[in-house]
Amino acid sequence: MEKFDSIALTYYRGAMGILLVYDVTDESSFNNIRNWIRNIEQHASDNVNKILVGNKADMDESRRAVPTAKGQALADEYGIKFFETSAKTNLNVEQVFFSIARDIKQRLADTDNKAEPSTIRINQPDQGTGTSSLAVQKSACCGS
């Protein structure tokens, strides 16, 4: 992980969504998820969307090192979605990408709806009297 830290930090800054992927046949990859989440919390924006993904779900149960319930419990602990996928068989791969795209789109829409209007309307008819009035809305820019 250390040799990729500086590259990863660059990606965190502008990330809108992050997929945290581990190998269900490799417990150490699962255990590293907490380290990745710490890095995300330190370097990414607070509202970045995250999904936990356990890959190689097509593998025989005898080779599985991380039970589905353990992956779900970790996702629940961090309040993020959880999927098990198989890149080999294409199990849930599209669902993961569509899910994070929908979540990002919804977050951006919610942010836009909460944003303070920055429109200035001058000399619009006053609806009650038919006379003109000056309506200025406070700009969200520069704290004014």
Side-chain angles (χ1 to χ4, degrees):
M1 184 166 113
E2 291 95 19
K3 73 179 183 179
F4 296 111
D5 280 351
S6 61
I7 295 169
L9 295 178
T10 304
Y11 285 110
Y12 288 136
R13 283 189 209 112
M16 298 182 85
I18 296 174
L19 301 178
L20 295 148
V21 183
Y22 67 92
D23 177 345
V24 300
T25 67
D26 179 6
E27 192 166 14
S28 67
S29 70
F30 177 77
N31 293 335
N32 279 326
I33 294 296
R34 289 184 189 280
N35 295 331
W36 286 108
I37 290 176
R38 263 194 307 280
N39 282 329
I40 291 166
E41 289 170 347
Q42 289 174 355
H43 303 291
S45 63
D46 291 338
N47 59 353
V48 66
N49 294 84
K50 297 176 287 295
I51 294 181
L52 180 62
V53 179
N55 193 38
K56 296 189 181 179
D58 61 296
M59 297 299 283
D60 185 76
E61 283 296 316
S62 65
R63 298 203 46 211
R64 183 182 277 268
V66 183
T68 302
K70 195 171 180 180
Q72 184 65 61
L74 184 63
D76 292 345
E77 179 182 333
Y78 287 104
I80 61 178
K81 290 183 179 178
F82 172 70
F83 289 87
E84 283 197 333
T85 64
S86 169
K88 183 178 179 180
T89 66
N90 201 29
L91 172 72
N92 286 336
V93 173
E94 283 187 11
Q95 289 85 340
V96 168
F97 285 101
F98 283 133
S99 180
I100 198 153
R102 271 192 307 273
D103 293 348
I104 291 167
K105 182 179 177 189
Q106 186 62 54
R107 176 174 47 88
L108 294 175
D110 291 347
T111 302
D112 286 347
N113 290 337
K114 291 178 187 172
E116 188 175 330
S118 58
T119 307
I120 298 176
R121 290 176 283 163
I122 300 174
N123 292 330
Q124 292 207 342
D126 193 359
Q127 292 168 335
T129 63
T131 62
S132 293
S133 65
L134 178 64
V136 178
Q137 293 180 344
K138 181 178 165 185
S139 171
C141 172
C142 309
S144 57

